[in-house]
Structure formats: structure tokens, C-alpha cells
Amino acid sequence: MLQAVKGTRDLLPGTCRKFRHVEQTASQIASLYGFDEIETPILEPAALFLRSLGDTSDIVSKEMYRFTDAGGDDLVLRPEGTAGVARAFISEGLAQELPLKLFYRGPMFRRERPQKGRYRQFYQCGVELLGVESPAADLEVIACGYHMLQELGLSQNLTLRLNSIGDLESRALFRDRLKDYLLQHRDQLSKDSQDRLERNPLRILDSKDPGDRKLLEHAPRLEQMLTPAAREFFSQVQQGLKALKIPVVIDPLLVRGLDYYCHTVFEFTTENLGAQNAVLAGGRYDGLVSDLGGPKVPGVGWAFGTDRLVLLLDELKGEWKRTPSFALIPVGDRAEALLSELAQELRRAGLRVDLSFSGNLGKRMKRADKVGATAAVIFGDNELNADRFQIKHLKSGTQSEVPRAQIIEELRRLATQP
Ligand code: AMP
């Protein structure tokens, strides 16, 4: 039997609904902050990610779905969204539009080892703010992410971790110091970290290995190498978050794995998803657009994992509002013949209507329950003769008779009741 590719999933209607709820909430809140939606292609030239993420990143070195197509082009199924947005900024000539605030959503692909909360095809929503150098931009994107998580009812259970990795100068200095220190203790490092020592020593700060973590306790600290300008930038971000009453934990070990970050890096994490604890992550990337051959344009943004937010909503038994729906239940041939006409009238009035195509009253009531209808509109010969329909509220079980001409009004009223 043919199965979905390992690490990919079918999102069945119940799950899809939750995905859309998360995406729509994100999109609505993003628009409150002035972010407009952009959609970039899933297929991008491999060079885009080689140049932006850095060849030592895990994504580029081992996780990309990269292939040569029949025409000989070197392509990648995008592993993340920021590089594509930066590419679009350059190739669409959007420099006149700065500052630019963009929101995106869609599937990303990474060949990671699948487990709960980690898939090979997963979904992200993200925002990017291009063209603003000041910490006000960092605050704007973090505040927007926090607002979304709050709106989804998740912010209580998440921790915002924040760090500064400084400007390029601070980072280069730190990288050398850290490497010198770790080289002295090379034998005590885990195998993975030994491999990273040459390629990307900063990533060792992310290590979960207890031995590595012990060594890191005495390693040089990034904060000691920050230039005065980088220090001032970081302090303004922290003050701003305080003023916005967004709780934050400074995490000196947070560096994030990609080459393009500078200054602010942050992550919202949870205790509720096992090893996959990051749900929203991002930072500032002032060098990215110019690294890709565009003008020198600063940027800051983040992405959240839609799959993980849906899992969290499930774990926390989070509520998502479904549009109320109504079941139309005809009794007898005359009513049956009028069914689709009435359904059409209600749908044109903006009401969500479910029809069962056959069965007696009992069977149809069962289906109304199963689809979670708010109420059933029941009508047979008696109702048609009297021009009054029965409306049965499914949760309370109460039933009332409503004049035919007032059905739409009554259903709208029920639809807005909590
Ligand atoms: P990143 O682009 O790695 O910074 O990831 C941003 C967010 O995307 C993470 O915090 C996760 O919530 C989500 N994410 C990253 N990789 C995966 C994956 N393989 N499966 C599901 N979600 C992921």
C-alpha cells in the first residue's frame, strides 16, 4: 500500500481546521501591526540557501531537499522562509517600499529525523520587517509574536528567551575565544561538538550533552565581548520589552544556528512538547540582503511552527472557535423537495449549513450532532402548511417554533450566542 513519505503527514479535516485557525489568527494579528502577506515559491535556487544560511548550518550541510531538475537547475524545496523573502525583496525591486513589513505562511522542508513536533514537511508562519535599523523594529516583531500567542491562549505556558549575539565584530571575537577555550578541552567534548568545533563553534552552545554543558559553564561569555554599540542596542531591546510588559529570560547560550543573525536573537519555548521545545524563533539579520547581492538593508523577523502550536493547543485543550453551523432536516417528500432551495437561501445569507442527503429524522439528528451543529431546522408538512419551522437547539435540547420569514434572523442570533 502506498504511504505518505516519511516525515510528511496528511492533515485531515479536524487537524486542518486547527491549522487554519492558527494561521488566520496569526494573519489577523500581523495585519494589526501593519504586516501584509507575501507568498514566495516553495522551489528556490539552491544557491539562495547556500549563500544565506551558511554551509556549516545543519540545514545546508545535511537537511535540504536538493535536486537537479530535468533542465539541469540546482533546486531546493525551501527549508525556511526568510531567505526567500529577502530574495523576493531583491528580485522584485522593493527597495522603494522600505520599511517593508511582510507576513508569510506555508510549508517548509527539512530532512530531519521525524518525531513528535518534528516533521520533514512542516508549516511555518513568519513576519519580516525590512529597512529599520533601530531596536524599535525588534520590539515590534517580538510584540507581534507575543500578541499572536496570547490571542491563541498560549502565552502563559511559554517562555521568551532573549540574547544578543552582537554585531559582526563582537561575534568574530567571541567565536575565536570560544574556539580557543574549547580546543583546550577537546577530548571532553561530545563527538557532535568535536565535529562542530572547526565548522561552527557557536553551535556548541546549543548542545544538550551534559558533559558539554558542564564545560560551557566556564567558557568565555558572549556578553563580555559585545562592543559598546551592541551592548546599548541590547539594553534598548530589553527596556522596550519591559515597558511592553513582555516577560523575558536572558539566555546567554541562545545563539541560533544560522549565519545570518546578528544582535537580537530570541525564541519562545515550552515545557509541553518534549525535546521539540522551540515554538517561535527569530532574530535580526542586518547582513542577509547584502549577502544575497542586494542593497544594505537591515531586517528582523521570526517564524513559528504551525504544527507545534496546533500540538500545544491540543495538549492544553485550547479552544478554537468554529463557525457555528446548522443542520437542515426535512421530514417527508414535500420538505425534501424544498431542501436545497432553503439551504441555498441560508448560505447566501452567510450561514453555514449542513445537509444530510438521506435518512429519517433520527438518523439526520445524529448526523447534526456529529458535525457539531448549533441547531437543527426541522420542517415537514405541518410546518410548511403553518409557515413556521421548528428550531432545535442541540446543546440545550430546547425547541421553538419560528415563523418561516424569521428563520435567518433567528439563526444569526443563535450563531452569535456564546
Ligand atoms: P527555525 O526556522 O529553525 O528557526 O524554526 C522556527 C520554528 O519552526 C521552530 O521554533 C519550530 O516551531 C518550527 N520548526 C522548525 N523545524 C521544524 C520541523 N522539522 N518540524 C516542525 N516544526 C519545525
Side-chain angles (χ1 to χ4, degrees):
M1 192 173 51
L2 283 174
Q3 303 274 4
V5 172
K6 184 173 175 192
T8 73
R9 313 186 281 162
D10 300 304
L11 304 178
L12 299 179
T15 313
C16 239
R17 207 154 41 230
K18 298 173 194 170
F19 269 68
R20 292 304 163 257
H21 168 66
V22 170
E23 288 181 350
Q24 272 159 18
T25 306
S27 156
Q28 271 160 14
I29 304 295
S31 88
L32 296 182
Y33 287 74
F35 289 90
D36 280 323
E37 185 155 354
I38 183 173
E39 192 157 331
T40 61
I42 291 170
L43 270 184
E44 290 278 6
L48 173 61
F49 301 103
L50 304 183
R51 277 165 72 178
S52 56
L53 307 184
D55 4 319
T56 57
S57 65
D58 283 351
I59 294 182
V60 168
S61 61
K62 50 189 188 213
E63 295 168 1
M64 285 203 303
Y65 282 94
R66 181 177 180 182
F67 62 98
T68 308
D69 79 354
D73 288 334
D74 186 6
L75 301 176
V76 163
L77 295 179
R78 65 177 180 196
E80 57 102 55
T82 305
V85 170
R87 199 255 326 118
F89 171 80
I90 301 167
S91 51
E92 301 289 338
L94 301 180
Q96 300 309 316
E97 322 246 336
L98 290 172
L100 196 58
K101 298 170 99 174
L102 299 169
F103 168 79
Y104 65 83
R105 59 174 127 188
M108 309 292 161
F109 302 82
R110 294 183 198 169
R111 199 171 183 290
E112 296 187 89
R113 196 168 47 79
Q115 60 185 87
K116 181 178 174 191
R118 189 159 80 192
Y119 312 98
R120 290 179 171 180
Q121 174 172 337
F122 60 99
Y123 296 80
Q124 285 186 339
C125 292
V127 300
E128 312 293 354
L129 201 174
L130 293 166
V132 180
E133 227 165 274
S134 88
D138 308 52
L139 287 173
E140 179 96 327
V141 299
I142 296 175
C144 175
Y146 185 68
H147 194 157
M148 281 176 198
L149 296 169
Q150 261 179 334
E151 190 69 22
L152 288 166
L154 296 172
S155 61
Q156 300 277 319
N157 300 282
L158 298 173
T159 308
L160 169 59
R161 291 175 198 286
L162 180 77
N163 193 21
S164 168
I165 52 174
D167 42 31
L168 284 179
E169 200 184 325
S170 328
R171 216 155 65 138
L173 189 65
F174 176 61
R175 197 184 149 106
D176 292 347
R177 292 275 175 86
L178 180 69
K179 195 167 153 189
D180 287 348
Y181 168 81
L182 292 173
L183 272 173
Q184 289 165 29
H185 305 276
R186 194 170 195 285
D187 300 345
Q188 291 151 263
L189 280 173
S190 66
K191 171 84 183 58
D192 272 354
S193 294
Q194 287 186 8
D195 290 345
R196 288 189 171 133
L197 197 49
E198 283 309 320
R199 290 188 294 121
N200 193 350
L202 291 182
R203 277 308 302 276
I204 297 176
L205 300 182
D206 275 345
S207 170
K208 304 247 157 37
D209 179 89
D212 290 354
R213 299 211 69 82
K214 200 149 179 42
L215 267 184
L216 288 171
E217 281 170 18
H218 304 287
R221 310 282 281 208
L222 182 57
E223 70 210 51
Q224 294 156 354
M225 318 283 154
L226 293 186
T227 59
R231 212 177 283 276
E232 174 57 23
F233 193 100
F234 190 32
S235 128
Q236 286 188 28
V237 173
Q238 290 176 66
Q239 282 165 25
L241 289 171
K242 202 161 164 205
L244 293 174
K245 301 195 173 54
I246 301 180
V248 51
V249 172
I250 305 298
D251 180 352
L253 296 185
L254 180 68
V255 289
R256 320 244 324 110
L258 306 179
D259 266 8
Y260 58 55
Y261 286 115
C262 62
H263 290 291
T264 319
V265 289
F266 55 90
E267 220 164 57
F268 282 89
T269 55
T270 170
E271 309 282 305
N272 297 27
L273 286 183
Q276 304 313 310
N277 64 356
V279 297
L280 180 154
R284 179 167 272 279
Y285 48 85
D286 292 348
L288 174 62
V289 177
S290 52
D291 283 355
L292 292 173
K296 223 185 147 329
V297 171
V300 53
W302 53 252
F304 70 64
T306 312
D307 309 69
R308 287 189 195 170
L309 289 189
V310 168
L311 279 173
L312 271 186
L313 283 174
D314 280 343
E315 292 291 309
L316 302 171
K317 311 261 176 304
E319 282 280 320
W320 45 90
K321 300 171 222 123
R322 279 191 66 185
T323 326
S325 75
F326 299 95
L328 282 193
I329 303 190
V331 182
D333 293 344
R334 231 174 108 205
E336 192 87 52
L338 290 171
L339 182 60
S340 54
E341 212 176 298
L342 180 60
Q344 154 121 331
E345 184 186 333
L346 299 182
R347 288 165 177 159
R348 295 280 167 167
L351 293 160
R352 197 153 77 88
V353 170
D354 185 72
L355 296 183
S356 36
F357 296 95
S358 63
N360 58 18
L361 179 66
K363 200 174 150 209
R364 286 176 158 176
M365 285 304 286
K366 254 198 202 135
R367 162 140 181 121
D369 256 336
K370 193 168 157 227
V371 299
T374 300
V377 180
I378 305 165
F379 59 110
D381 286 341
N382 290 343
E383 284 75 19
L384 289 171
N385 291 338
D387 221 16
R388 294 172 77 84
F389 288 3
Q390 304 285 337
I391 296 187
K392 180 163 183 164
H393 198 268
L394 291 179
K395 225 197 249 157
S396 63
T398 51
Q399 188 158 328
S400 56
E401 221 179 50
V402 176
R404 165 78 177 81
Q406 286 168 24
I407 293 276
I408 291 180
E409 202 181 313
E410 176 61 10
L411 297 185
R412 281 192 180 141
R413 192 184 67 77
L414 290 176
T416 51
Q417 270 182 354

